Structure formats: C-alpha cells, structure tokens
C-alpha cells in the first residue's frame, strides 16, 4: 500500500509544504480540504528566563496558565486574546534534567482566540525579544487506499504449502521473499523478475541473533493490533503502569501508557479497529517483530526464535480512524520514545520530496537541510533529542537511530526529515534489486530495502493471487482488515521497517556481546555493510500503473540507468551488518550510579558481562555509610543512605571485575537528579 500523509509546514512567512507518509495510492488527494495548521495555536520557545517564570506559574496553578508573568509578553497575549499557555512536553522527573539541557522544556503551546489569525499572532510574537522561536502546529493527515490486500484463511492455508529454508517453522515464511529470496518465486515463462539474495539477508543474520527483548523499537504510525497472536508477545510493556488504568502510575506525564501511548487521541488506550484504520501500524510491527518460530503466520526480522524473545514494539500511535494528527502529537511521541527506552524510531512518514512533480503532488516539500531546519525548528530539536538521548552511555547504544521512508513520489530526492544528514532514509526495491516504480531516490537517500512493487509484478497471476499482490510485503493485519490477520502492502513505508528491524537486530547483537556503540557508529556500519545494487540499474523496467485498480490498461516503462548510484549505499544486509557488530565498538562497563538520599537504584549486573546470565556477582562498596547493596534475584538494589560519593566494584564469578562510583544526593528525585 502506498499511503500519503500531508504534513504542512507553515512558517512565519506562511510558506506551505506538503508531506507524504509514503504508503497509499499514488496521487490520491484527501477527500476533505483542511487547513494546513491548527488555528488558534502556536508553539513558542521562550528565552530561559521567561520559561522559568512561566514554569513557576504552572507549578503554582498545577497546569496551564493564562499569562506568562512577563509584562512585555503578557501585553501581546492580552491583545491577541490568549486563554492558555501550556508546556508542550509533560514533566517526567526521570528525564527532566536532560529535557532542560536540550531546551525542550522552554517550548510552550500558546492558545488564543479573537480577531487575529494565527499568522498575525506569529508575527506579533516574533517581534518580542523574549521569544526565541515559533513553530506552527501543523495538520498531519492521511490520504490512502483503504483497501489493503488481505489474505483469506483458505488462501493462507494453501500458501503455507510453499516452503523455504530459514530455520523458522512459521508457515508463511515461504511467501516472504523480502526475508529469504532464492530467486525462483517470480519466474513466469521467459520472464525472470527475481534475483537470489534480493532480500535483507536475514537467514545468515539469524545465526548470530534473532533479537533481544532489551531492545525497543518505537513505531510512530496507526495503532498496533495488540491482541494479534503473532504480535501480542512482542509488545513493549510499561511495567510501572497499570494496564487499562486511567492514572499516571509512573508519573511520566502520560496516563495509562501500558503498551505505549495514543497521541492521536491523547489517551493510554491503543486503538486499531476503527473502520477507517488501514492496519498499517500492525503491518509495520509485523515486519519488525512478529513472533518467530511459533508455528503460525509469518516470520519477522527481529522476532526471536521461539525460545528467546525478540525486540519489543513500543506503540506510539499518531493516527486513529479518520482523525488526523498534528505536530504536537508527533513531537510528543518522539520525545516519549526517547524517555521510555526506545532506541530505534520507526517513521514511515515524512514530507513530500522537494523535487516531487507538482501536478501529482501539489506544492513540493523542503528542498534542503537548511530549509527544513528553518521551517520545522521544533521537529529538528525533538529528533535531535532522540538521537542524542535515547539509549545509554552504558548500554549497547548511546543515542537512538531514527529511520524514515524516503517517499513515494517517484522523485529524484528523498523527503525530509529522513533526508537530513543525521537520520536513515530508506528507498524501496523489488525482488530483483530494481527500484520500486514509486520510490524516491537520489540526494538524501541513504539505503534501500524491499518495499514491494505491485505494478511491476502485474503478470504474476494464478489461482491464489490477483495482479502482483505477492510482489508486495506480507505481514500482520487486524482482523477487520483481513479475516486471517495477514495481508499485503507496499511502499517505502514498508521498506522502512525492514531497516528499522535490521538496526534493532544489530543493537541486539551488541547487547548480547556486551559491546557499546554510538548512534553514528551504528548508522555508519549499517551503510558500509549494504550491498551495492548498481549493476542491476540497466535496461528498461516495464510495469502497469495502478494495476490493482485499473488492470493492464496503463502500460509504462522507464530507464533504470538514472537510479545508478542514487539508491543510497545499496540494499541493507543484516548478515554483514551483524558480522561487523562482532568485535567492534567498546566493551560495556557497569555504570556509575546516582541515587537520591533514601532512594533506591536497581540494575542487573548480568547486562554488563559477556555470558552474564550464567555468572554470579560480588559487589563491594568502599564506604557503606553512603550506600548499601542487596541482591534480589538477578537485580542489584543500591540504597542511598547519606549524601556523598564512594567507589565500588562488581566482580563476576569468571574473575572479571568492573569498578564504578556511587553518588548519593540529598533533595534529588528517584533517579538521583537534583
């Protein structure tokens, strides 16, 4: 499926940019024309001094305020009719220190009514020296072909007869050319549209790792079908929250966030079964971490091996039914992911390419890094927060990897934010390494992955399949979309979760090997191990545009030579990537601890020693008047007794010893931060 989300960036100069979440029918416009931003709202970044005053007033009133407390600012707010000033990102005591250091605590939502337009208010606020930046709360909406290609129960049973090597007993693995492609699947007469190895090379990678449950991928998309039998055991669970609770049990600013959070509806309950939900979030989640080797459904890239759990999916729902989304929802989702343990950000959305055809796609999006950073300043800050603050200096990755779809406009430039230098931008390929006919390519594209190409496989029709559907990506779907719970979609938004999953698999391998990497090192390895596909960029590619809807009435052809050197580093290669992880990076070390006086810090020593699950540990604290430690199962519980600092060590039964420092602070929060 090729979905298109229009995300309009309205600057203070009122420039317009349309955005594409890359997986719905190409060229299909939304049914309802909406304003490109939310009227009566602006996102404003105050100077540190003003932000502190507003923060103090918010603490006094325990919520939004009607004035800032600064005369020059309030004078403007009085004129424009402001009725609400609210901090954009909720306070989370565990991460407030780094939120402050990043400046995200200085962003506020200013809501107003009266006679002035949002653009006029932006211009008035911009003149104030107390205001550093202004951003519009852009409307994010989808326009997509709501009809995925489901697989019936009977068809699924017949498809399961197709077998292929791979070491997993999931019956539909034989139909997943994107995972294991032996080159025989798409051969019709004298036409060969498949190349052995034109997949993600997961079969070799699985010999090293099938995923580790400590690695979390945040899926920013529609909701995920949390009860799907192939997904329910792969979901991240917020153990500090109470399932279905309407309270904020863990005090992170979000009520009831058990599997993640529904930012579209501002609630903890994840939804997926609205008649207008396409199942896209569930489909993406299945590519990444559907449970492997459980004897049902599909295999996934990082879904474990049946005995060992794979990576976990954190649901960051930004779309729900016909309800659109907004910049605020997306920005909060990005920060939430970083603050709650995700290390990979899966984003099958982004702006329409700055080089897109205006006739098909309307106003092109951002054309350069500078244009994007100027036009969407808070988006850049939030993504920087994720790439810099996700993960841990003591875990397998310091920082987080943001993975975006390159776009589906058939444009010679990837769309932003993915085209930014700091993220991964994914183009889509078919089962013979050729570019999918819809994919963006060229500048900003960093890597390629299987995304499906239905229009290209128009001639693959038999008793089981209609036009080209099997040339798409098979994955999980909600039952209201597919009675079997499985079906096909395509797009760069389907290529993207392949790369997100491979990144998560590599981080899993690093965790298992107790190796530590920076976010940039992971990205560099991902790109350096990709397989060059330039040799396949020759001759012509024939296809039928919109074949599923129109049949073979619109024949097309294109030269492949313009794609040479333009599909990023090449096709993602999980096997080579994991091989490069082994022995790289640096050894993980037991972390220094910061504890509140009277507080407790819990950690598992096994996470920092190779083969640590099979070892025992002795912990020695130099000054036991400052801190003490007890072992509870596999956890070491450190108690802060009085303010001060002391050296300590943890020695494993294999003789390896790590030294660290414990610092206890009076007046700190539970995480030891003042």
């Amino acid at each position: 499926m090729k979905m298109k989300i229009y995300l309009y960036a309205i600057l203070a100069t009122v420039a317009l940019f349309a955005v594409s979440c890359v997986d719905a029918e190409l060229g299909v416009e939304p049914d309802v024309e909406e304003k490109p931003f939310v009227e009566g709202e602006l996102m404003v970044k105050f100077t540190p001094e003003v932000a502190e005053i507003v923060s103090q007033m918010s603490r006094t009133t325990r919520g939004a305020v009607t004035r800032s407390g600064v005369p020059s600012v309030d004078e403007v707010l009085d004129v424009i009719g402001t009725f609400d000033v609210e901090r954009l990102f909720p306070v989370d005591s565990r991460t407030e220190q780094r939120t402050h250091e990043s400046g995200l605590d200085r962003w506020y939502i200013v809501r107003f009514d009266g006679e002035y337009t949002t653009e006029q208010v932006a211009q008035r606020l911009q003149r104030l020296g107390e205001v550093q930046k202004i951003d519009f709360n852009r409307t994010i909406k989808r326009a997509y072909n709501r009809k995925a290609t489901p697989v019936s129960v009977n068809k699924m049973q017949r498809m399961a007869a197709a077998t292929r090597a791979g070491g997993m007993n999931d019956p539909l693995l034989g139909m997943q050319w994107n995972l294991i492609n032996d080159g025989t699947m798409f051969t019709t007469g004298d036409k060969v549209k498949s190349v052995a190895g034109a997949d993600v090379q997961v079969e070799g990678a699985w010999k090293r790792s099938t995923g580790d449950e400590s690695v979390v991928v945040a899926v920013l998309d529609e909701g995920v079908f949390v009860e799907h039998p192939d997904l329910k055991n792969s979901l991240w669970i917020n153990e500090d929250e109470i399932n279905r609770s309407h309270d904020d049990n863990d005090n992170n600013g979000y009520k009831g966030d058990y599997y993640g959070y529904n930012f579209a509806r501002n609630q903890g309950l994840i939804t997926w079964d609205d008649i207008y939900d396409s199942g896209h979030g569930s489909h993406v989640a299945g590519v990444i971490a559907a449970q492997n080797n459980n004897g049902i459904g599909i295999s996934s890239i990082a879904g474990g091996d049946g005995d060992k759990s794979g990576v976990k999916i954190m649901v960051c729902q930004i779309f729900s039914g016909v309800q659109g989304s907004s910049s605020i929802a997306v920005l909060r989702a990005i920060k939430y992911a970083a603050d709650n343990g995700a290390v990979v950000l899966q984003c099958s959305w982004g702006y329409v390419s700055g080089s897109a055809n205006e006739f098909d796609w309307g106003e092109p999006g951002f054309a350069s890094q500078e244009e994007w950073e100027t036009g969407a300043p808070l988006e850049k800050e939030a993504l920087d927060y994720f790439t810099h603050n996700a993960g841990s200096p003591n875990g397998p990755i310091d920082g987080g990897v943001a993975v975006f779809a390159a776009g589906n406009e058939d444009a010679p430039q990837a769309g932003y934010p993915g085209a930014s230098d700091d993220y991964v931008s994914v183009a889509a390929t078919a089962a013979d390494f050729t570019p999918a006919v819809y994919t963006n390519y060229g500048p900003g594209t960093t890597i390629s992955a299987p995304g499906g190409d239905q229009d290209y496989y128009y001639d693959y029709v038999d008793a089981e399949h209609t036009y080209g559907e099997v040339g798409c990506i098979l994955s999980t779907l909600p039952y209201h979309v597919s009675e079997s719970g499985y079906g096909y979609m395509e797009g760069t938004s389907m290529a993207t979760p392949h790369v997100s999953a491979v990144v998560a698999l590599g981080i899993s391998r690093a965790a298992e090997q107790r190796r530590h990497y920076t976010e940039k090192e992971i990205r560099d390895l991902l790109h350096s191990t990709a397989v060059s596909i330039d040799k396949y960029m020759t001759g012509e590619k024939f296809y039928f545009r919109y074949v599923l809807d129109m049949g073979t009435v619109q024949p097309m052809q294109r030269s492949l030579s313009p794609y040479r050197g333009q599909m990023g580093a090449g096709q993602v290669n999980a096997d080579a990537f994991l091989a490069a992880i082994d022995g790289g990076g640096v050894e993980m070390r037991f972390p220094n601890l910061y504890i509140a006086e009277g507080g407790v810090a819990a950690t598992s020593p096994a996470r920092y020693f190779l083969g640590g699950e099979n070892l025992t540990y002795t912990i020695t604290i130099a000054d036991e008047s400052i801190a003490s430690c007890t072992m509870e199962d596999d956890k070491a519980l450190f108690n802060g007794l009085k303010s001060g600092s002391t050296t300590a060590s943890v020695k494993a039964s294999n003789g390896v010893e790590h030294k660290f420092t414990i610092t206890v602070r009076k007046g700190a929060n539970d995480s030891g931060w003042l």
Side-chain angles (χ1 to χ4, degrees):
M1 184 178 89
K2 311 180 191 85
M3 177 186 296
K4 188 171 58 172
I5 297 174
Y6 288 95
L7 172 58
Y8 294 89
I10 310 298
L11 314 181
T13 54
V14 202
L16 180 65
F17 299 93
V19 174
S20 158
C21 165
V22 294
D23 19 48
E25 189 59 32
L26 285 171
V28 175
E29 297 295 333
D31 296 330
V32 180
E33 187 65 28
E34 297 180 6
K35 288 193 174 183
F37 58 92
V38 178
E39 280 284 7
E41 285 187 357
L42 282 172
M43 298 181 292
V44 177
K45 186 176 187 179
F46 292 115
T47 61
E49 297 77 16
V50 172
E52 179 58 29
I53 294 172
V54 179
S55 177
Q56 290 176 0
M57 292 183 66
S58 298
R59 287 195 292 268
T60 301
T61 60
R62 296 187 178 184
V65 297
T66 57
R67 292 297 175 267
S68 72
V70 179
S72 58
V73 176
D74 287 342
E75 182 179 348
V76 174
L77 298 184
D78 283 331
V79 170
I80 65 177
T82 299
F83 62 86
D84 200 90
V85 179
E86 176 191 3
R87 178 168 146 159
L88 197 154
F89 298 103
V91 174
D92 183 342
S93 60
R94 303 167 304 172
T95 59
E96 187 63 10
Q97 176 77 12
R98 69 191 195 190
T99 302
H100 177 71
E101 292 170 354
S102 70
L104 289 182
D105 63 327
R106 293 194 275 125
W107 280 96
Y108 281 78
I109 306 168
V110 176
R111 301 184 179 93
F112 48 89
D113 54 15
E115 59 183 293
Y116 296 100
T117 67
T118 303
E119 297 97 319
Q120 289 172 328
V121 173
Q123 291 170 356
R124 283 178 174 266
L125 289 173
Q126 250 187 343
R127 300 188 189 112
L128 296 175
E130 294 85 355
V131 171
Q132 285 193 339
K133 295 179 182 178
I134 293 177
D135 207 345
F136 288 74
N137 186 17
R138 298 178 294 276
T139 301
I140 303 177
K141 55 184 177 179
R142 304 162 297 181
Y144 58 90
N145 184 345
R146 293 184 175 92
K147 185 177 67 174
T149 307
V151 173
S152 69
V153 172
N154 290 336
K155 183 186 290 187
M156 188 175 75
Q157 292 172 347
R158 293 192 294 269
M159 286 167 59
T163 58
R164 189 168 292 132
M168 302 294 180
N169 65 9
D170 307 294
L172 296 181
L173 176 58
M175 301 302 294
Q176 293 180 271
W177 62 266
N178 48 308
L179 300 190
I180 302 175
N181 185 349
D182 63 7
T184 64
M185 191 167 183
F186 299 108
T187 301
T188 304
D190 60 349
K191 297 179 181 178
V192 179
K193 296 183 179 179
S194 183
V195 172
D199 49 36
V200 296
Q201 296 294 304
V202 75
E203 191 172 11
W206 281 342
K207 296 175 182 177
R208 293 183 169 85
S209 179
T210 56
D212 188 273
E213 63 182 357
S214 68
V215 177
V216 180
V217 180
V219 173
L220 276 63
D221 210 301
E222 288 184 2
V224 173
F225 180 20
V226 298
E227 298 170 8
H228 195 292
D230 232 357
L231 294 175
K232 62 182 180 180
N233 294 325
S234 298
L235 298 173
W236 171 80
I237 292 176
N238 182 0
E239 295 180 351
D240 295 326
E241 199 66 274
I242 298 174
N243 191 14
R244 309 300 184 190
S245 170
H246 297 292
D247 299 319
D248 185 12
N249 306 112
D250 59 354
N251 296 312
N252 70 348
Y254 295 96
K255 296 180 179 180
D257 57 321
Y258 188 69
Y259 295 115
Y261 197 72
N262 186 338
F263 295 92
R265 296 189 177 185
N266 195 26
Q267 64 181 36
L269 182 65
I270 304 300
T271 60
W272 65 86
D273 57 355
D274 187 281
I275 189 173
Y276 294 106
D277 283 330
S278 69
H280 190 269
S282 301
H283 204 271
V284 163
V287 173
I288 298 169
Q291 187 176 357
N292 284 334
N293 222 32
N294 61 351
I296 63 171
I298 62 167
S299 294
S300 69
I301 294 170
D305 62 7
D307 295 324
K308 181 177 179 294
S309 296
V311 306
K312 298 301 181 182
I313 298 295
M314 176 188 290
V315 185
C316 292
Q317 184 173 355
I318 59 173
F319 297 106
S320 178
V322 294
Q323 184 176 343
S325 194
S326 68
S327 293
I328 290 175
V330 172
L331 295 165
R332 284 175 170 167
I334 292 170
K335 187 175 186 296
Y336 177 93
D339 288 345
N340 290 277
V343 292
V344 181
L345 201 67
Q346 156 60 35
C347 303
S348 285
W349 52 271
Y351 296 88
V352 166
S353 168
S355 299
N357 185 311
E358 292 187 43
F359 180 79
D360 289 331
W361 297 95
E363 188 76 19
F366 298 109
S368 69
Q369 179 96 6
E370 180 181 7
E371 207 172 273
W372 170 65
E373 291 183 11
T374 301
L378 182 48
E379 191 170 82
K380 176 67 163 62
E381 287 190 29
L383 284 166
D384 282 349
Y385 182 89
F386 181 85
T387 58
H388 296 157
N389 292 290
S392 166
N394 306 105
I397 182 170
D398 189 1
V401 180
V403 186
F404 283 88
N408 285 358
E409 299 91 55
D410 185 23
Q413 179 186 10
Y416 284 89
S420 171
D421 299 334
D422 301 319
Y423 320 127
V424 178
S425 178
V426 188
T429 59
D432 58 359
F433 284 124
T434 59
V437 298
Y438 51 79
T439 189
N440 290 351
Y441 56 100
T445 307
T446 60
I447 203 164
S448 299
D453 201 352
Q454 186 156 27
D455 293 353
Y456 179 46
Y457 292 104
Y458 62 90
D459 51 356
Y460 197 84
V461 182
D462 57 26
E464 303 298 337
H465 307 97
T466 57
Y467 286 122
E469 64 185 46
V470 75
C472 300
I473 305 300
L474 179 64
S475 189
T476 46
L477 288 170
Y479 290 137
H480 77 285
V481 178
S482 171
E483 64 172 354
S484 68
Y486 301 89
Y488 293 98
M489 290 185 176
E490 68 170 2
T492 54
S493 69
M494 286 299 108
T496 305
H498 286 79
V499 175
S500 295
V502 170
V503 170
L505 201 61
I507 298 171
S508 296
R509 181 61 175 174
E512 293 159 357
Q513 293 294 301
R514 308 306 193 262
R515 308 301 297 178
H516 173 79
Y517 288 86
T518 66
E519 173 270 338
K520 186 176 186 305
E521 287 171 338
I522 290 291
R523 280 192 291 120
D524 288 346
L525 278 183
L526 178 75
H527 297 142
S528 66
T529 55
V531 175
S532 174
I533 56 178
D534 279 352
K535 68 179 181 180
Y536 300 97
M537 307 304 163
T538 60
E540 303 289 323
K541 184 165 182 172
F542 298 88
Y543 63 100
F544 284 88
R545 196 177 189 191
Y546 309 142
V547 68
L548 182 62
D549 297 315
M550 300 175 62
T552 55
V553 299
Q554 195 171 172
M556 308 286 288
Q557 72 178 63
R558 67 179 55 196
S559 171
L560 292 174
S561 59
Y563 294 92
R564 195 173 300 127
Q566 301 298 308
M567 296 290 286
Q571 182 131 310
V572 65
N573 186 322
D575 189 16
F577 179 51
L578 265 65
I581 291 289
D582 286 359
V586 296
E587 181 184 2
M588 287 171 57
R589 304 292 299 177
F590 195 87
N592 294 327
L593 299 176
Y594 299 87
I595 314 172
E597 191 174 293
V600 178
T603 188
S604 174
R607 294 176 56 191
Y608 307 98
F609 293 82
L610 187 61
E613 298 84 356
N614 302 314
L615 302 174
T616 57
Y617 303 92
T618 301
I619 295 174
T620 304
I621 299 174
D623 188 342
E624 295 184 335
S625 70
I626 292 176
S628 64
C629 180
T630 57
M631 293 295 296
E632 187 175 298
D633 297 326
D634 65 336
K635 297 274 188 179
L637 305 179
F638 293 88
N639 300 280
L641 304 178
K642 72 174 185 180
S643 294
S645 183
T646 179
T647 58
S649 67
V650 54
K651 188 173 183 178
S653 54
N654 63 357
V656 177
E657 183 177 20
H658 292 179
K659 296 182 179 180
F660 60 101
T661 300
I662 301 173
T663 301
V664 179
R665 298 169 172 176
K666 187 175 183 178
N669 60 31
D670 292 341
S671 300
W673 294 108
L674 296 173

